[in-house]
């Protein structure tokens, strides 16, 4: 058996120092240590939990050490974060959490052992009355309460003032696994029975299960793939049919291409672009596992239209790079995204939309989508495009009787629809 806390410490330290994506480090650690089922569950809960709660934890560390976390040695900071997380959010008894942190310090930060012990004991003694911001402190209150950067809190408050705190609260809610049934092989009912799941609310092929991904045999057999219901709704709105020509301009890791090909009954063609050629094998391997033969991949920068493809496609999937705020509960790293990385996104998104629209035949349909909830990346982009391009119009659509678009656009919210936060717009070419 491995010492799980030692493993968590090393992975958190590696992620912090080398700026690694947490999912990649998690997978590597599980493989490296050959963890059993219990170890894997404990490691995952501690590793992701510390990353998810680190904004709140760092605030407290600064209060109790009177030092900026940036001034603390990495080893000391990681041990304090892990200990504080166990005290506040995990099932570990306070004394055990402190003792385990001191053991880590003895091995990895021996000079700071007494300091770490004192700080964590102080947090334990005041855990029912911690020095958190008050509501009168404004955005800082929400940031520390929900462990979100202030810019994300401000974005929700500015764009959705009536439900902003609900959105923040959903950012830590752990949802079940949503699958898309591969109807080339299996029916949604058969998949539902196989995983002891339930049907989704809105998408025909959506099946929701409590099973962890590692225990879902349908993923290995090609009978299903993991895809949030919001993305499956996008496929439903696309309405791709057999014998159509479809292009997915920002395709990796391939879920929307797979959904289109399955809707087309594997008849016709799906062209899947991505700017990174190294990612294309993800689509090719996924298509092979699902038994899809109509997908062809190519490296291409979709800010520029490929001349030979202009006016050649019935459907265009334009799921653009975005800030990802609709998936905060699934991707802890998004909480630590530099706000400045968002500055160029609207310009990039508009360029991709403008170039990709050229691929449509007359009467063809483009679906513009993002997995974010920032209006500057959603409605603002689409409204600008249709106002500047009179050959294209927004077209209303119905997902279910109680889920309809307004002016050809819809925003899905985790607190309302129980999906990822997601934006969909349907644009038709009329000339």
């Amino acid at each position: 058996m491995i010492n799980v806390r030692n493993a968590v410490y090393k992975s958190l330290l590696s992620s912090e120092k080398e700026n690694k994506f947490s999912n990649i480090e998690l997978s590597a650690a599980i493989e490296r240590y050959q963890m059993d089922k219990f170890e894997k569950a404990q490691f995952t809960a501690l590793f992701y939990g510390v990353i998810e709660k680190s904004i709140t934890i760092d605030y407290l560390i600064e209060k109790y050490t009177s030092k900026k976390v940036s001034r603390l040695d990495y080893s000391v900071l990681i041990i304090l974060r892990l200990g504080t997380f166990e005290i506040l959010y995990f099932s570990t008894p306070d004394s055990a959490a402190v003792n385990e942190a001191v053991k880590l310090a003895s091995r990895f930060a021996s000079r700071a052992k007494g300091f770490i012990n004192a700080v964590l004991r102080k947090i334990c003694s005041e855990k029912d009355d911690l020095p958190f911001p008050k509501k009168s402190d404004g955005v800082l209150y929400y940031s520390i309460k929900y462990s979100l950067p202030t810019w994300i809190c401000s974005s929700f408050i500015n764009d959705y003032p009536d439900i902003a705190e609900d959105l923040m609260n959903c950012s830590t809610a752990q949802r079940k696994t949503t699958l898309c049934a591969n109807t080339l092989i299996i029916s949604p009912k058969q998949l539902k029975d196989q995983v002891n799941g339930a049907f989704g609310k809105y998408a025909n092929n959506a099946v929701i299960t409590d099973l962890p991904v590692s225990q879902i045999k349908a993923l290995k057999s090609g009978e299903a793939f993991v895809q949030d219901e919001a993305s499956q709704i996008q496929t439903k709105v696309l309405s791709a049919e057999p014998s159509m020509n479809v292009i997915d301009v920002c395709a990796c890791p391939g879920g929307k291409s797979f959904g289109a090909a399955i809707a087309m009954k594997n008849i016709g063609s799906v062209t899947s672009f991505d700017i990174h050629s190294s990612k294309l094998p993800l689509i090719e391997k996924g298509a092979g596992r699902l038994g899809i033969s109509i997908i062809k991949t190519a490296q291409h920068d979709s800010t520029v239209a490929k001349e030979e493809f202009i006016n050649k496609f019935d459907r265009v999937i334009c799921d653009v790079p975005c800030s990802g705020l609709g998936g905060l509960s699934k991707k802890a790293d998004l909480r630590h995204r530099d706000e400045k990385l968002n500055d160029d996104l609207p310009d990039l998104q508009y360029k991709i939309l403008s170039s990709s629209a050229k691929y449509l035949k007359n009467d063809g349909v483009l679906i513009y989508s993002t997995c974010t909830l920032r209006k500057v990346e959603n409605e603002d982009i689409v409204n600008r495009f249709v106002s500047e391009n009179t050959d294209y119009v927004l077209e209303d659509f119905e997902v279910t009787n109680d889920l309809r678009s307004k002016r050809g656009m819809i925003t899905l919210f985790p607190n309302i629809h129980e999906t990822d936060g997601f934006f969909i717009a349907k644009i038709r070419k009329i000339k």
Side-chain angles (χ1 to χ4, degrees):
M1 290 206 32
I2 66 165
N3 184 308
V4 172
R5 286 181 181 81
N6 284 357
V8 172
Y9 165 82
K10 290 178 180 178
S11 286
L12 288 170
L13 186 66
S14 178
S15 295
E16 184 75 21
K17 293 177 74 172
E18 300 173 32
N19 201 27
K20 289 183 179 179
F21 286 115
S22 59
N23 64 320
I24 294 174
E25 175 58 31
L26 177 82
S27 298
I30 289 172
E31 179 69 24
R32 182 163 61 245
Y33 297 112
Q34 294 294 296
M35 297 180 190
D36 63 27
K37 182 179 178 181
F38 174 78
E39 292 166 342
K40 189 187 301 183
Q42 186 182 23
F43 179 93
T44 301
L46 288 171
F47 178 71
Y48 275 145
V50 171
I51 293 172
E52 184 179 83
K53 297 295 187 181
S54 63
I55 291 173
T56 303
I57 290 170
D58 284 359
Y59 176 86
L60 289 174
I61 289 173
E62 290 187 349
K63 288 291 184 182
Y64 284 103
T65 64
S66 299
K67 295 181 181 180
K68 293 288 186 183
V69 292
S70 59
R71 303 279 307 269
L72 291 170
D73 181 83
Y74 277 130
S75 297
V76 175
L77 176 59
I78 296 304
I79 295 170
L80 284 172
R81 281 177 177 170
L82 182 53
T84 304
F85 176 78
E86 291 202 61
I87 292 165
L88 298 183
Y89 303 109
F90 212 54
S91 56
T92 313
D94 291 353
S95 58
V98 175
N99 290 338
E100 291 296 335
V102 171
K103 286 180 185 177
L104 282 175
S106 297
R107 182 170 181 184
F108 300 111
S110 57
R111 291 184 179 180
K113 183 168 65 172
F115 171 74
I116 289 169
N117 179 61
V119 171
L120 294 180
R121 288 193 181 282
K122 185 68 171 173
I123 291 173
C124 287
S125 70
E126 298 185 10
K127 66 184 293 186
D128 294 327
D129 189 27
L130 293 166
F132 287 133
K134 296 181 172 63
K135 203 159 190 177
S136 58
D137 293 318
V139 174
L140 181 63
Y141 165 82
Y142 296 107
S143 172
I144 303 307
K145 181 177 180 179
Y146 296 105
S147 201
L148 290 168
T150 53
W151 72 264
I152 291 181
C153 296
S154 295
S155 178
F156 287 160
I157 291 168
N158 291 336
D159 282 344
Y160 309 103
D162 294 338
I163 60 169
E165 191 166 3
D166 288 340
L167 292 174
M168 296 175 206
N169 189 43
C170 283
S171 72
T172 57
Q174 298 302 311
R175 295 203 307 276
K176 301 176 181 181
T177 300
T178 303
L179 306 173
C180 181
N182 179 6
T183 54
L184 301 175
I185 301 174
I186 193 172
S187 71
K189 184 181 184 305
Q190 289 171 318
L191 178 64
K192 178 180 77 74
D193 293 342
Q194 186 185 129
V195 300
N196 193 26
F199 293 126
K201 290 183 178 180
Y202 307 108
N204 299 336
N205 296 342
V207 172
I208 302 167
T209 178
D210 287 318
L211 291 176
V213 168
S214 60
Q215 295 180 27
I216 301 174
K217 295 179 181 178
L219 297 175
K220 294 181 179 179
S221 66
E223 295 172 310
F225 59 98
V226 175
Q227 188 179 47
D228 190 78
E229 193 168 6
S231 293
Q232 296 187 50
I233 292 170
Q234 190 255 31
T235 298
K236 187 174 182 178
V237 177
L238 182 72
S239 301
E241 298 176 358
S243 301
M244 281 186 172
N245 291 326
V246 176
I247 187 167
D248 186 351
V249 299
C250 301
C252 282
K256 294 176 181 66
S257 291
F258 303 154
I262 290 168
M264 296 161 65
K265 304 185 187 303
N266 204 31
I267 301 169
S269 72
V270 177
T271 300
S272 300
F273 282 164
D274 200 86
I275 192 170
H276 302 290
S277 59
S278 61
K279 292 184 178 181
L280 296 177
L282 290 172
I283 302 175
E284 294 160 0
K285 290 177 183 177
R289 180 175 55 81
L290 295 164
I292 295 170
S293 60
I294 64 171
I295 292 177
K296 295 181 180 179
T297 65
Q299 187 277 331
H300 183 66
D301 177 358
S302 289
T303 60
V304 180
K306 201 172 182 68
E307 288 293 328
E308 59 267 39
F309 284 0
I310 291 175
N311 300 325
K312 295 294 176 65
F313 289 87
D314 302 287
R315 298 287 186 270
V316 175
I317 302 169
C318 189
D319 186 65
V320 296
C322 69
S323 55
L325 301 193
L328 287 168
S329 66
K330 295 178 178 177
K331 297 180 180 179
D333 295 331
L334 290 172
R335 296 168 184 273
H336 308 291
R337 178 185 173 92
D338 187 342
E339 182 183 8
K340 292 180 181 177
L341 294 176
N342 299 326
D343 292 348
D344 297 331
L345 281 174
D347 184 55
L348 174 67
Q349 292 157 343
Y350 190 78
K351 286 179 179 177
I352 294 173
L353 173 56
S354 298
S355 297
S356 303
K358 296 176 182 178
Y359 298 144
L360 284 177
K361 300 176 180 177
N362 287 344
D363 203 39
V365 168
L366 178 148
I367 303 299
Y368 175 90
S369 61
T370 75
C371 57
T372 195
L373 293 171
R374 297 175 72 225
K375 290 186 177 181
V376 70
E377 299 180 54
N378 296 338
E379 291 94 333
D380 291 358
I381 299 293
V382 172
N383 285 330
R384 177 187 169 191
F385 175 78
V386 294
S387 69
E388 294 180 1
N389 296 273
T390 56
D391 291 350
Y392 302 85
V393 295
L394 284 160
E395 183 172 284
D396 271 320
F397 55 88
E398 178 181 291
V399 179
T400 62
N401 287 336
D402 57 352
L403 185 60
R404 297 180 176 89
S405 67
K406 293 181 180 179
R407 239 190 111 245
M409 296 179 275
I410 196 167
T411 302
L412 302 165
F413 297 100
N415 60 311
I416 297 172
H417 303 102
E418 298 180 4
T419 66
D420 285 349
F422 205 83
F423 175 81
I424 301 169
K426 182 178 181 180
I427 301 170
R428 188 177 292 277
K429 184 178 180 182
I430 56 174
K431 292 181 185 178

